[in-house]
Amino acid sequence: MSQFILIFNFLVLIGSCLITSTVSAKKYYKHVDDDGIVHYSDKKPGADKDFESWQVRVEDSHPKASVVNRGTDRMPLLYAVNPYHGPISVHIEMTQAINAQSDPPWPKTYNVPATTDYYLGTIEAIKDNKSWSYSYQYSYRLGQNNPTYDAEYAYRLPYRAVGDAFISQGFSGTFSHFDEQNKYAIDIPLDEGTDVVAARGGVVMDYAEDFIKGGADEKNLFRNNFVRIAHDDGSMGLYAHLKLESVVVGNGQRVKAGQKLAESGDTGFSTGPHLHFAIQINQNHNLISVPFKMQYPNGDIKQPMPGWLD
């Protein structure tokens, strides 16, 4: 995720404006439940719920966490807003402090639960009779920071059996599995429209299904349909290159292992129809992939390797 820098000088605040566009858009909703918990979703709440809604462009359809001031200019109360249906970590630090200090002291990394507004702290003048200025920056990463996850868990095949299948690119693959988020991923060529199923139970944390094209052009790196499942041990399963508008689950929905999530496709950075599957964690406020084990059709449990899945 990107890093954000906010600068405040002598209590002068910068406003924002809303820019509309004719690009195809999708509607998102926000509502507060009876327990006071804030929920974000692309599914309209029930008729008995008060909610806010807004349109976003397809290109910007992924939710984005943010840090907002719910206080005043003189006494800012900073909250992390997590729209994801899974935890994230938020790191915040002062980049400039003239007669100013944070309470609690920063830098600090916070674990922010799913779909919540989480209090981070305030910034105040050290001496009230003097001018003061400050700036801070924050960044966020998907997942709980440094979870104790089960590295021995045996994942089932992430697709519905359709006959012979094979792994075309495995861990540390030289075509596209060289960055930390995808180093320990596998690619399984599948005919477009093959059922993609949960390799492990969990909660749908986020998904995208509005992208149409694929290809080995760098412009397609961030135009990828996917489903992300948050597991109970803090790890996350990523299912990518999915078919346009094929996702059949919703954000916040709990799914079981073997349950259909979507259909395989050829969207994003792809040279042909296939499923990209990875297990990821948040390690030291950095999203990385990790090695995992898989149960093969013959019952063997082992690290998946390039070759036939038999």
Side-chain angles (χ1 to χ4, degrees), residues 1 17 71 106 122 132 140 171 180 200:
M1 293 298 167
C17 62
W106 295 334
T122 187
W132 59 300
Y140 72 94
F171 296 172
E180 289 300 314
R200 181 179 182 179

Side-chain angles (χ1 to χ4, degrees), residues 60 72 117 128 140 164 175 183 225 262 269 300:
D60 298 330
T72 66
D117 293 10
D128 290 335
Y140 72 94
D164 293 338
F175 176 70
K183 180 178 180 180
N225 294 328
F269 192 70
D300 288 348

Side-chain angles (χ1 to χ4, degrees), residues 12 15 26 34 45 75 91 96 107 162 172 214 229 240 281 285 308:
V12 175
K26 192 170 186 176
D34 294 336
M75 184 58 69
H91 180 82
Q96 174 187 323
V162 290
S172 300
I229 303 294
I281 66 167
H285 192 60
W308 293 101

Side-chain angles (χ1 to χ4, degrees), residues 14 34 47 79 108 113 182 210 223 237 248 259 286:
I14 300 174
D34 294 336
Y79 284 77
K108 187 173 181 179
N182 297 287
D210 296 317
R223 295 176 174 272
V248 295
Q259 182 174 339
N286 186 34

Side-chain angles (χ1 to χ4, degrees), residues 50-66:
D50 292 328
F51 61 88
E52 301 173 26
S53 66
W54 65 97
Q55 298 283 117
V56 297
R57 298 179 305 166
V58 168
E59 288 82 353
D60 298 330
S61 61
H62 305 311
K64 295 179 177 64
S66 60

Side-chain angles (χ1 to χ4, degrees), residues 242-254:
L242 305 176
K243 183 180 176 182
L244 170 71
E245 295 183 344
S246 69
V247 177
V248 295
V249 291
N251 282 328
Q253 178 180 342
R254 179 164 285 276

Side-chain angles (χ1 to χ4, degrees), residues 8-303:
F8 297 82
N9 292 306
F10 305 104
L11 304 178
V12 175
L13 303 180
I14 300 174
S16 63
C17 62
L18 176 66
I19 301 175
T20 59
S21 172
T22 58
V23 176
S24 176
K26 192 170 186 176
K27 182 165 284 191
Y28 280 85
Y29 302 87
K30 174 184 176 181
H31 77 279
V32 181
D33 66 18
D34 294 336
D35 295 322
I37 297 175
V38 180
H39 296 270
Y40 297 82
S41 177
D42 57 351
K43 307 299 182 185
K44 186 176 181 179
D48 59 334
K49 302 287 186 182
D50 292 328
F51 61 88
E52 301 173 26
S53 66
W54 65 97
Q55 298 283 117
V56 297
R57 298 179 305 166
V58 168
E59 288 82 353
D60 298 330
S61 61
H62 305 311
K64 295 179 177 64
S66 60
V67 170
V68 299
N69 179 11
R70 303 233 190 268
T72 66
D73 295 350
R74 287 188 173 274
M75 184 58 69
L77 301 175
L78 299 179
Y79 284 77
V81 180
N82 177 13
Y84 294 94
H85 288 259
I88 64 172
S89 67
V90 173
H91 180 82
I92 188 167
E93 60 186 87
M94 300 285 286
T95 55
Q96 174 187 323
I98 299 176
N99 187 35
Q101 61 186 3
S102 65
D103 181 18
W106 295 334
K108 187 173 181 179
T109 301
Y110 298 81
N111 278 316
V112 182
T115 61
T116 59
D117 293 10
Y118 191 89
Y119 179 68
L120 303 178
T122 187
I123 300 172
E124 57 193 6
I126 298 174
K127 294 183 178 180
D128 290 335
N129 60 341
K130 292 187 177 182
S131 63
W132 59 300
S133 67
Y134 64 86
S135 63
Y136 64 87
Q137 64 182 15
Y138 71 92
S139 60
Y140 72 94
R141 302 290 186 270
L142 301 181
Q144 174 188 336
N145 195 34
N146 295 326
T148 304
Y149 73 101
D150 184 1
E152 298 301 313
Y153 185 88
Y155 292 83
R156 62 150 290 156
L157 293 177
Y159 64 92
R160 195 88 70 200
V162 290
D164 293 338
F166 65 98
I167 296 174
S168 60
Q169 186 179 197
F171 296 172
S172 300
T174 57
F175 176 70
S176 60
H177 295 176
F178 43 79
D179 65 294
E180 289 300 314
Q181 294 186 21
N182 297 287
K183 180 178 180 180
Y184 296 108
I186 60 174
D187 289 339
I188 306 173
L190 296 171
D191 290 338
E192 187 166 351
T194 301
D195 284 354
V196 173
V197 303
R200 181 179 182 179
V203 174
V204 180
M205 182 173 178
D206 186 23
Y207 73 88
E209 64 171 353
D210 296 317
F211 297 112
I212 299 173
K213 297 180 180 180
D217 191 310
E218 288 187 359
K219 70 180 182 181
N220 293 316
L221 284 171
F222 302 102
R223 295 176 174 272
N224 174 39
N225 294 328
F226 68 92
V227 172
R228 178 179 294 276
I229 303 294
H231 306 139
D232 292 341
D233 66 354
S235 63
M236 297 167 285
L238 178 66
Y239 307 74
H241 303 300
L242 305 176
K243 183 180 176 182
L244 170 71
E245 295 183 344
S246 69
V247 177
V248 295
V249 291
N251 282 328
Q253 178 180 342
R254 179 164 285 276
V255 297
K256 298 179 180 179
Q259 182 174 339
K260 182 177 178 179
L261 304 176
E263 296 176 4
S264 60
D266 185 23
T267 58
F269 192 70
S270 172
T271 58
H274 74 285
L275 174 65
H276 175 97
F277 177 70
I279 302 301
Q280 298 176 328
I281 66 167
N282 181 335
Q283 184 180 78
N284 299 324
H285 192 60
N286 186 34
L287 184 64
I288 66 169
S289 58
V290 293
F292 61 91
K293 295 181 179 179
M294 179 172 286
Q295 184 169 22
Y296 276 55
N298 63 4
D300 288 348
I301 295 176
K302 57 185 178 181
Q303 178 179 301

